[in-house]
Amino acid sequence: MFTNLPAAQRHSEAAAFATGLLVVTMLGSIIGAISLAAIGGESALTPNLTPAVMFAAVPVVIALVDVVAAFEILASLALPPARLLLQLITGISGALGVFFTALALGDSWATRPAPQAPGFTEWNSTEWITSQKDADRAALYVAGLGVVPALVGTVLRATGLHLTAHVTAANTIILSGLALTVVATVSSALRSRHPEGASSRGTRPWEAYTTTLATSSYTVILLLFLP
């Protein structure tokens, strides 16, 4: 698609924007795959794995949103009638990514220490999720709140709201996506560590809401600046 565009479009700001998004897509996909493979290689289920999964999901969602957004930009140059469809798919992809990230909370109760383990009562008293009912409720609340920005942004874009993506704005969005990818990956690696002589901490509310709202907010900003 790049090579078949007229020379003026190949060297346009929009083409550069799409290129940057595709680079972030590649990095997010590779890093996300490595992070999730590392988590999958754990020998035992521990409470710290749920937040580690949620952090690892951030680069995956960023990559998903960016690749669709990059095709939308290319479509704006080569296939204008497909723009609205790809804009809607971009927003829906972000919302679905947030939803699946939040679903990890529903399984978090299964990773708790055994009730008969020493110190279980003290550990449980410091946790946000203390039963399967809490886990299901947390997944529902986090998913419900998390998808709101992405869905609102999709509706706003479908109604015609659009911001001009000048070079500074495009570069900021690209670097923001890269920053979210790196920070979330490092956070995932640190969160998967096992403390000595104590049970791992389960998901904290700020971790659940940060991972979902960060990707959802990124989706909104990206949507509004798509050509």
Side-chain angles (χ1 to χ4, degrees):
M1 293 184 71
F2 278 116
T3 56
N4 288 333
L5 292 174
Q9 292 181 336
R10 286 202 307 270
H11 298 89
S12 65
E13 295 178 2
F17 192 7
T19 303
L21 292 177
L22 289 173
V23 172
V24 175
T25 295
M26 180 188 68
L27 293 174
S29 299
I30 295 173
I31 292 175
I34 294 173
S35 298
L36 292 172
I39 294 170
E42 292 281 339
S43 58
L45 290 175
T46 52
N48 59 336
L49 294 185
T50 297
V53 166
M54 297 188 76
F55 280 117
V58 171
V60 178
V61 179
I62 294 293
L64 174 64
V65 172
D66 278 0
V67 70
V68 181
F71 277 106
E72 191 280 340
I73 295 173
L74 293 176
S76 71
L77 300 175
L79 196 61
R83 284 184 301 177
L84 178 58
L85 176 61
L86 289 171
Q87 289 165 5
L88 295 177
I89 294 175
T90 301
I92 293 172
S93 297
L96 285 175
V98 168
F99 175 75
F100 284 115
T101 301
L103 285 186
L105 290 170
D107 296 325
S108 60
W109 182 238
T111 66
R112 72 192 188 282
Q116 63 271 22
F120 173 80
T121 302
E122 292 78 9
W123 174 86
N124 202 40
S125 66
T126 65
E127 291 297 304
W128 172 40
I129 295 173
T130 59
S131 66
Q132 184 59 55
K133 184 177 180 180
D134 284 347
D136 294 335
R137 184 186 299 115
L140 180 63
Y141 286 168
V142 172
L145 181 61
V147 300
V148 168
L151 294 179
V152 170
T154 303
V155 172
L156 291 175
R157 189 55 206 262
T159 58
L161 181 61
H162 170 244
L163 302 176
T164 302
H166 48 77
V167 175
T168 302
N171 289 341
T172 300
I173 292 172
I174 293 168
L175 292 176
S176 296
L178 181 60
L180 284 173
T181 295
V182 173
V183 171
T185 301
V186 172
S187 299
S188 176
L190 294 176
R191 204 59 175 85
S192 62
R193 295 177 60 192
H194 303 281
E196 291 187 18
S199 297
S200 302
R201 292 183 298 112
T203 310
R204 291 329 191 214
W206 73 266
E207 294 173 321
Y209 287 108
T210 297
T211 51
T212 51
L213 289 175
T215 49
S216 192
S217 300
Y218 176 82
T219 302
V220 174
I221 296 171
L222 180 57
L223 265 175
L224 295 180
F225 279 98
L226 288 178

